[in-house]
Amino acid sequence: PETTESSLLHLCEFIEDCEFTMLSTQILHLLGELGPGTTAPARYIRFIYNRVILENSAVRAAAVSALTKFAAHCPSLRQSIMTLLKRSLVDEDDETRDRAAIAVSILEQAMEANPYVAPPEDAEAEDIPADVPVDGDMAAYVLLEPMPINFDKLERSLKAYMAAPMSMEQAEPITLSTLPIVEDTVEEQHAAATGDDGIAVTDDIGAEIVAPKKKEPVDPAAAVYAIPEFASLGRAFRSSLPVPLTESETEYVVECIKHVFPSHVVLQFMVANTIEEQRLDNVTVAIDDSDSETWQVSGEMAADGIGYGDKKNCFCVLQRDGDDAAALTSSTFACELKFTVVQVDPTTGEEEGDTFEEEYPLEDLAVTTSDFMAKVAVPDFRKGWESLGNENEVLEKFALQFRKMEDAVAAVIDFLGMQACDGTGSINTPGKPHMLHLSGIFMGGQQVLARAQIAIQDSGAVLKIAVRSEAEEVSRMVADCIH
């Protein structure tokens, strides 16, 4: 910090003669982030505005954004920066014009609502107020605060909203708070966990590499939305990954996806038949809920006509007793596949022989607290951690039976069902304690953050974890997921 101002001035001198667009734009971005917080932010304005006059369109656009950040941070500079920004309203580049137009419009409204009053020239230093925006300043909020979600997630959230039954018939307005939570894609989870976006810009000889086109995410709850009988359940909060309930080589292969709704969990059982001489009719999965105090089976839907090599879905609905979020603890259910076996000719598929009822044991199915946690990274973990505060913080220490740091880190992430942030999902300093930053959205839209320090000792792994959320009972439930 003590060398920040001198370093920024060196960078200002550097971009005066820099011919590399990427370097110039990155330096301008850094100036916009750090410059307004220095003791004399006005000294950087001249260097930045020179880039608006002398550089190519990409650098000019970056310079306009940097000037905008100075104006948003420092009310005393807004009038002079406005004069400079208005000159870019007639720039030949669309991007530069658009950025300038947005900045000018927002700053004009902010200056009208909260005009800057300069302190008297003879005022003592301690009597001069800090040059910061007032509370509720429009320019500071719009130009400096990041969006709660990026545009890719916003698009996916809107699609998920429209896919839910009867969602477009509701009278409530669509706001960011009413949109469904969408979990990070596999690519986003990898980038957040490792700090690597996986996209190369150039190869070894400097040739541009075209990034592979991302696959369109598929809403896993679409199979539930397609069934009219489930329309009354509302919108799914999240869906789990498929959980195998049989070995992959058995005659009947069953996997389960848990779809979490406000007061229900819909279990989607994907049943595959690997026997040529059989067709499976009236296929259901019987759930034993007698030992659960939280969940009870409230409905089921059978699958019919599962021939050789086919995979079809049957469903079971679990209803939660009461609406207490503290009741979302782990429950385990015994499962059994029930169906009618129809003997068929392997060649023609025609029925032959008798039919009979059959039962097939499955592995137990667990509905855990982590099933109610959506993996969503936060753009700034430190800021989010500080904003939650320690009022509802839960601190715990655990001994884990892991000998390798990689296994311990993967297990903690899996236990909590949260998203690793800031690249902490990968281990960069072997042999030393590892700090893991985790983020997620719990059922009901509650933000949850966790900091977990893992150390490998002779007896195994030692975990120290701090969990923060908007409710202490949620923090406790999340911490208790470690086992």
Side-chain angles (χ1 to χ4, degrees):
E2 61 272 10
T3 61
T4 298
E5 298 193 24
S6 59
S7 299
L8 291 179
L9 286 173
H10 282 301
L11 291 175
C12 287
E13 296 289 349
F14 175 79
I15 60 175
E16 288 289 329
D17 300 314
C18 180
E19 297 180 359
F20 297 95
T21 297
M22 182 177 292
L23 275 177
S24 295
T25 54
Q26 288 179 345
I27 291 173
L28 287 168
H29 172 76
L30 187 64
L31 287 171
E33 290 293 321
L34 302 180
T38 59
T39 56
R43 71 173 70 175
Y44 306 103
I45 301 300
R46 172 175 64 87
F47 296 100
I48 298 174
Y49 185 66
N50 283 346
R51 310 278 64 77
V52 177
I53 302 173
L54 304 173
E55 295 289 354
N56 59 46
S57 59
V59 178
R60 294 201 305 272
V64 166
S65 294
L67 288 173
T68 302
K69 289 181 180 179
F70 273 82
H73 274 289
C74 307
S76 64
L77 300 178
R78 287 181 179 178
Q79 190 60 54
S80 57
I81 292 178
M82 278 285 287
T83 303
L84 303 179
L85 288 175
K86 287 180 178 179
R87 297 175 184 176
S88 296
L89 294 175
V90 292
D91 193 280
E92 61 183 17
D93 177 59
D94 292 347
E95 180 72 18
T96 305
R97 286 199 311 272
D98 289 347
R99 294 190 187 190
I102 293 173
V104 168
S105 175
I106 294 172
L107 288 171
E108 283 181 340
Q109 296 180 57
M111 292 167 65
E112 182 179 352
N114 301 295
Y116 175 73
V117 179
E121 295 183 1
D122 57 350
E124 298 292 337
E126 58 270 15
D127 296 331
I128 299 177
D131 189 15
V132 294
V134 299
D135 292 339
D137 183 76
M138 177 182 178
Y141 177 74
V142 176
L143 299 175
L144 301 179
E145 292 293 328
M147 286 187 62
I149 56 176
N150 59 38
F151 285 104
D152 179 60
K153 283 187 178 179
L154 179 60
E155 179 186 12
R156 289 192 282 123
S157 184
L158 286 169
K159 288 181 177 179
Y161 180 90
M162 293 186 292
M166 299 182 293
S167 62
M168 301 306 292
E169 301 174 9
Q170 298 179 8
E172 65 176 359
I174 300 177
T175 63
L176 289 174
S177 60
T178 59
L179 288 176
I181 301 296
V182 291
E183 293 191 276
D184 294 344
T185 61
V186 175
E187 294 83 1
E188 290 170 338
Q189 290 181 23
H190 174 78
T194 64
D196 178 19
D197 58 13
I199 299 176
V201 179
T202 59
D203 61 13
D204 293 337
I205 60 174
E208 183 178 354
I209 297 176
V210 179
K213 187 176 181 181
K214 291 183 179 180
K215 294 182 180 179
E216 183 72 18
V218 178
D219 187 356
V224 179
Y225 293 152
I227 301 174
E229 288 82 354
F230 294 156
S232 61
L233 300 181
R235 185 187 304 120
F237 171 68
R238 69 174 299 268
S239 301
S240 72
L241 294 174
V243 178
L245 299 181
T246 62
E247 298 291 337
S248 58
E249 297 82 11
T250 56
E251 54 266 61
Y252 311 114
V253 181
V254 182
E255 293 180 310
C256 178
I257 297 178
K258 294 169 275 188
H259 303 281
V260 179
F261 287 80
S263 300
H264 300 78
V265 172
V266 176
L267 304 176
Q268 176 187 348
F269 296 99
M270 298 173 289
V271 183
N273 176 21
T274 63
I275 301 179
E276 291 188 73
E277 296 83 9
Q278 292 184 358
R279 188 186 75 231
L280 310 183
D281 286 345
N282 193 29
V283 181
T284 61
V285 174
I287 301 292
D288 183 3
D289 60 0
S290 58
D291 294 333
S292 176
E293 298 179 357
T294 306
W295 303 96
Q296 60 180 358
V297 176
S298 63
E300 64 179 22
M301 181 166 291
D304 267 322
I306 306 179
Y308 169 68
D310 290 344
K311 179 185 287 188
K312 292 189 178 182
N313 300 319
C314 62
F315 299 87
C316 181
V317 181
L318 298 177
Q319 183 172 357
R320 177 155 51 102
D321 292 334
D323 296 325
D324 186 10
L328 299 178
T329 53
S330 298
S331 300
T332 302
F333 303 93
C335 301
E336 188 174 50
L337 183 67
K338 295 186 176 183
F339 51 93
T340 301
V341 175
V342 180
Q343 301 288 347
V344 297
D345 187 321
T347 305
T348 64
E350 295 181 357
E351 296 185 18
E352 59 179 22
D354 297 331
T355 64
F356 56 92
E357 302 298 320
E358 184 67 285
E359 297 176 351
Y360 190 82
L362 303 175
E363 297 287 341
D364 289 349
L365 177 66
V367 177
T368 64
T369 303
S370 61
D371 289 324
F372 303 92
M373 182 74 73
K375 291 187 175 183
V376 180
V378 290
D380 189 334
F381 183 88
R382 177 179 294 180
K383 183 177 180 180
W385 182 261
E386 293 174 352
S387 65
L388 278 177
N390 60 2
E391 294 181 1
N392 301 313
E393 184 178 65
V394 171
L395 302 173
E396 287 291 350
K397 183 177 180 179
F398 299 93
L400 305 178
Q401 301 303 315
F402 296 101
R403 300 291 182 180
K404 295 183 179 180
M405 180 65 76
E406 293 81 359
D407 296 338
V409 169
V412 171
I413 295 174
D414 183 60
F415 288 155
L416 301 181
M418 300 173 72
Q419 174 61 52
C421 302
D422 301 337
T424 58
S426 59
I427 301 166
N428 299 321
T429 55
K432 295 183 179 180
H434 183 72
M435 180 60 74
L436 192 59
H437 293 171
L438 298 167
S439 169
I441 304 293
F442 195 71
M443 183 72 183
Q446 297 190 60
Q447 177 75 59
V448 182
L449 299 177
R451 297 180 64 188
Q453 185 185 58
I454 305 172
I456 300 297
Q457 300 180 355
D458 295 337
S459 59
V462 176
L463 168 66
K464 296 178 181 179
I465 187 170
V467 182
R468 292 183 178 182
S469 72
E470 299 168 14
E472 185 177 358
E473 61 269 19
V474 173
S475 300
R476 169 52 57 190
M477 275 194 298
V478 173
D480 289 343
C481 287
I482 304 296
H483 54 272

